[in-house]
């Protein structure tokens, strides 16, 4: 604190007159102050200063905040775990598909858990894939059937039902090692080329169909003869 | 005029001046107040009442306000006596220790500032007189010499009490108690520029108030 400087005579006069405490003011009753002191709790004279109290309060606040944040994080992590468990079944199915691919790549599959439902699902899928493959093979065989029949007719009685047996075998759940491995051939073209070489078979095959149609037509068109015999009967 | 002022304050007094004032030394007072001994506290109150009351009158608007500041100041002084001892303990050995009177004066000023902040009735209305008008002198205004010759302490106190609380506090802190503008800015939480500006306005308004009080 420094005394004010650069002041006019009026300022210094006012300052001096305000500083002087020449007038003696009689004190108030001590009881008023005593009452105030008794009502007011004594300030922190224990030794702990305000700074330490503030620091302690701040530390306590920070601890409370961290505890609260930790609790909230724990709650959310639990929620996330619950959602993960609910989506485990779908993830397992995807994992199984991946392991199947890995098996093709000759990698050892490792499953964390084996679910019977998942295994059944796998079986179902493998069965369905097999069924599709079999259906394809059957279709191919059906397409190839005429060619095979011509060969069979050449052999006549030596191998009569081999194709039928093959078809019967393909319908069985046992995997056919030859059919899935065969790449998709263009057999239709070959058949188209080969069909003119064996005209008799095609005509023979188509002939009964035509004759049956003709028969049906003749049956429909030709009136029954007993209608003419009726007058005789009347006679 | 002085008799009226003293009679106004004597309403609150019961005429009990300490009879142990000359018996206890400052050291004994400090020891007794640290132990919260009622006798020592009463002795301190009686010894320093007049000085504290003068400070309170300067910082307050009315005798009631001065009394409120005084009671609050003594409450803080008597309850926080350990702060005085701690301040002296922390003080460097080269510097002289803070005397009890200095510390009491500082605590009283702090109480006055606290009272100013707490008192919501007194609005912090800035002076209606702008600094542009400070250069103008009306015919009714008196010269500095006339003011010095015709005014006394009570007039000046009355003129000071007519100032707005912020101007009054800043004027007292800087002109009478010798606080610098940085110290005032820290104490009142204002900028140094605001402190300087308020001081110049307070000086102008005080002069104008004194001119209004002096009988012509």
């Amino acid at each position: 604190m420094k005394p004010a400087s650069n002041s006019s005579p009026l300022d210094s006069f006012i300052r001096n007159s305000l500083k002087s405490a020449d007038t003696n003011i009689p004190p108030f009753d001590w009881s008023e102050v005593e009452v105030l002191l008794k009502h007011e709790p004594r300030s922190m004279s224990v030794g702990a200063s305000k700074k330490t109290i503030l620091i302690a309060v701040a530390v306590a606040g920070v601890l409370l905040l961290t505890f609260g944040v930790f609790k909230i994080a724990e709650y959310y992590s639990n929620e996330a775990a619950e959602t993960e468990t609910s989506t485990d079944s779908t993830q397992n199915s995807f994992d199984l598909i991946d392991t199947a691919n890995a098996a093709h790549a000759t990698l050892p599959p490792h499953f964390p858990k084996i679910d019977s439902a998942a295994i059944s699902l796998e079986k179902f899928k493998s069965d369905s894939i097999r069924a599709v493959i079999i259906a394809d093979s059957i279709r191919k065989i059906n397409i190839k059937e005429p060619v095979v029949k011509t060969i069979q007719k050449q052999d006549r009685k030596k191998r009569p039902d081999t194709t039928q047996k093959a078809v019967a075998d393909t319908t069985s759940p046992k995997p056919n090692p030859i059919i899935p491995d065969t790449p998709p051939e263009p057999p239709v073209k070959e058949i188209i080329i080969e069909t003119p070489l064996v005209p008799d078979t095609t005509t023979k095959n188509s002939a009964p169909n035509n004759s049956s149609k003709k028969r049906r037509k003749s049956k429909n068109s030709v009136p029954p003869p007993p209608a003419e015999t009726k007058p005789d009967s009347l006679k | 005029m002085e008799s009226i002022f003293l009679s106004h304050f004597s309403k609150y007094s019961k005429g009990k001046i300490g009879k142990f004032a000359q018996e206890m030394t400052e050291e004994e007072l400090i020891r007794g107040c640290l132990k919260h001994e009622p006798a020592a506290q009463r002795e301190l109150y009686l010894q320093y009442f007049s000085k504290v009351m003068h400070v309170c009158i300067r910082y307050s608007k009315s005798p009631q306000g001065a009394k409120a500041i005084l009671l609050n100041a003594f409450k803080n002084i008597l309850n926080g006596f350990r702060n005085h001892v701690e301040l002296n303990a922390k003080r460097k050995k080269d510097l002289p220790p803070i005397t009890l009177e200095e510390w009491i004066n500082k605590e009283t000023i702090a109480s006055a500032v606290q009272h100013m902040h707490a008192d919501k009735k007194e609005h912090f209305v800035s002076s209606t007189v702008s600094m542009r008008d400070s250069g103008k002198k009306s015919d009714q205004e008196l010269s500095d010499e006339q003011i010095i010759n015709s005014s006394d302490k009570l007039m000046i106190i009355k003129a000071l009490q007519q100032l707005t609380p912020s101007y009054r506090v800043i004027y007292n802190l800087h002109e009478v108690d010798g606080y610098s503008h940085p110290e005032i800015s820290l104490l009142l939480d204002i900028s140094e520029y605001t402190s300087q500006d308020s001081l110049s306005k307070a000086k102008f308004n005080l002069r104008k108030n004194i001119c209004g009080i002096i009988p012509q």
Side-chain angles (χ1 to χ4, degrees):
Chain A
M1 288 190 286
K2 293 173 184 175
S5 58
N6 300 328
S7 57
S8 63
L10 180 64
D11 288 336
S12 58
F13 167 74
I14 293 167
R15 193 187 311 126
N16 290 330
S17 58
L18 285 171
K19 271 185 179 177
S20 65
D22 49 353
T23 51
N24 193 11
I25 304 164
F28 305 147
D29 193 2
W30 165 247
S31 60
E32 287 186 43
V33 183
E34 204 172 17
V35 166
L36 264 176
L37 289 170
K38 278 180 182 176
H39 278 294
E40 281 291 321
R42 285 174 188 176
S43 65
M44 299 293 181
S45 59
V46 185
S49 64
K50 285 179 181 177
K51 277 185 181 178
T52 52
I53 292 159
L54 276 171
I55 290 162
V57 168
V59 167
V62 167
L63 283 171
L64 277 170
L65 272 172
T66 48
F67 181 74
V69 168
F70 177 74
K71 279 281 175 190
I72 290 161
E74 199 178 9
Y75 173 74
Y76 279 110
S77 65
N78 284 337
E79 270 196 348
E82 282 175 8
T83 50
E84 278 177 6
T85 49
S86 65
T87 54
D88 259 347
S89 59
T90 53
Q91 281 182 353
N92 281 334
S93 66
F94 286 121
D95 287 338
L96 289 166
I97 289 160
D98 289 333
T99 49
N101 291 329
H104 283 293
T106 66
L107 286 170
H110 51 89
F111 297 103
K113 287 176 183 178
I114 298 165
D115 292 338
S116 57
I119 290 161
S120 63
L121 205 143
E122 188 192 8
K123 281 180 179 176
F124 172 73
K125 283 184 177 179
S126 60
D127 288 342
S128 61
I129 290 158
R130 279 175 187 172
V132 168
I133 292 160
I134 289 158
D136 284 339
S137 62
I138 289 162
R139 205 192 311 158
K140 284 171 189 175
I141 289 158
N142 285 335
I143 292 160
K144 282 180 181 178
E145 207 172 13
V147 182
V148 174
K149 278 181 180 176
T150 51
I151 295 159
Q152 280 176 356
K153 281 181 180 177
Q154 284 175 358
D155 292 340
R156 292 282 171 96
K157 291 174 183 178
K158 286 179 182 178
R159 292 174 186 174
D161 294 323
T162 51
T163 54
Q164 285 177 2
K165 280 180 182 178
V167 170
D169 290 333
T170 51
T171 50
S172 68
K174 290 176 183 177
N176 195 353
I178 302 159
I179 293 160
D181 291 335
T182 51
E185 295 170 359
V188 181
K189 286 180 181 177
E190 287 178 2
I191 289 159
I192 291 160
I193 294 159
E194 284 174 7
T195 42
L197 290 171
V198 192
D200 296 332
T201 54
T202 52
T203 49
K204 280 177 182 176
N205 287 328
S206 61
N209 292 328
N210 293 328
S211 62
S212 63
K213 282 178 183 177
K214 281 177 182 177
R215 279 173 191 168
R216 283 173 191 171
K217 282 179 182 177
S218 61
K219 278 177 183 177
N220 291 328
S221 60
V222 177
E228 294 173 1
T229 55
K230 276 181 182 177
D232 293 332
S233 64
L234 285 170
K235 287 177 183 178
Chain B
M1 189 92 180
E2 193 172 353
S3 61
I4 296 164
F5 179 75
L6 290 172
S7 66
H8 190 83
F9 279 104
S10 63
K11 282 196 292 184
Y12 303 103
S13 68
K14 302 285 179 183
K16 288 183 181 179
I17 299 169
K19 59 182 177 182
F20 302 109
Q22 292 171 358
E23 291 175 8
M24 291 179 88
T25 60
E26 191 176 305
E27 197 177 341
E28 286 171 342
L29 273 174
I30 291 165
R31 279 181 192 171
C33 288
L34 281 170
K35 291 174 184 174
H36 297 281
E37 289 176 358
Q41 288 177 339
R42 186 173 180 274
E43 188 56 45
L44 185 94
Y45 172 73
L46 294 172
Q47 272 193 29
Y48 288 96
F49 174 84
S50 184
K51 289 173 184 174
V52 172
M53 193 63 198
H54 275 288
V55 175
C56 293
I57 288 165
R58 279 196 284 116
Y59 279 89
S60 65
K61 193 179 182 177
S62 61
Q64 289 81 12
K67 190 191 173 186
I69 292 168
L70 180 125
L71 290 174
N72 193 40
F74 267 107
K75 190 182 77 183
N76 291 338
I77 288 161
L78 295 172
N79 282 328
F81 224 90
R82 192 171 287 274
N83 293 336
H84 174 245
V85 179
E86 284 175 0
L87 272 172
N88 274 330
K90 286 176 185 174
R91 206 170 171 87
K92 289 177 182 176
K93 289 178 181 178
D94 302 339
L95 297 166
I98 299 166
T99 60
L100 188 61
E101 191 178 343
E102 282 174 358
W103 181 71
I104 287 171
N105 193 45
K106 208 173 180 180
E107 286 292 314
T108 309
I109 290 164
S111 295
V113 172
Q114 194 183 343
H115 179 80
M116 183 194 76
H117 284 302
D119 196 4
K120 301 289 179 188
K121 288 174 186 174
E122 279 191 282
H123 296 289
F124 288 84
V125 181
S126 60
S127 177
T128 51
V129 182
S130 63
M131 286 304 293
R132 285 178 295 180
D133 302 330
S134 62
K136 297 174 186 175
K137 281 192 175 181
S138 63
D139 296 328
Q140 293 177 348
E141 275 192 18
L142 303 166
S143 64
D144 287 357
E145 285 182 3
Q146 283 175 316
I147 292 166
I148 291 165
N149 292 328
S150 55
S151 65
D152 57 355
K153 186 183 177 181
L154 290 173
M155 283 182 187
I156 293 164
I157 286 172
K158 198 177 176 183
L160 188 68
Q161 287 178 340
Q162 285 176 358
L163 290 173
T164 58
S166 56
Y167 287 177
R168 189 168 57 241
V169 166
I170 289 166
Y171 185 86
N172 273 309
L173 285 170
H174 190 267
E175 289 294 309
V176 185
D177 295 315
Y179 279 67
S180 63
H181 285 296
E183 286 172 330
I184 293 167
S185 67
L186 280 172
L187 191 67
L188 300 178
D189 197 20
I190 55 171
S191 67
E192 285 185 38
Y193 173 76
T194 309
S195 174
Q196 289 167 4
D197 188 51
S198 298
L199 180 68
S200 59
K201 284 177 181 175
K203 278 181 179 177
F204 173 75
N205 286 332
L206 183 67
R207 193 182 189 283
K208 200 182 176 187
N209 291 342
I210 292 166
C211 289
I213 290 166
I214 290 169
Q216 292 176 358

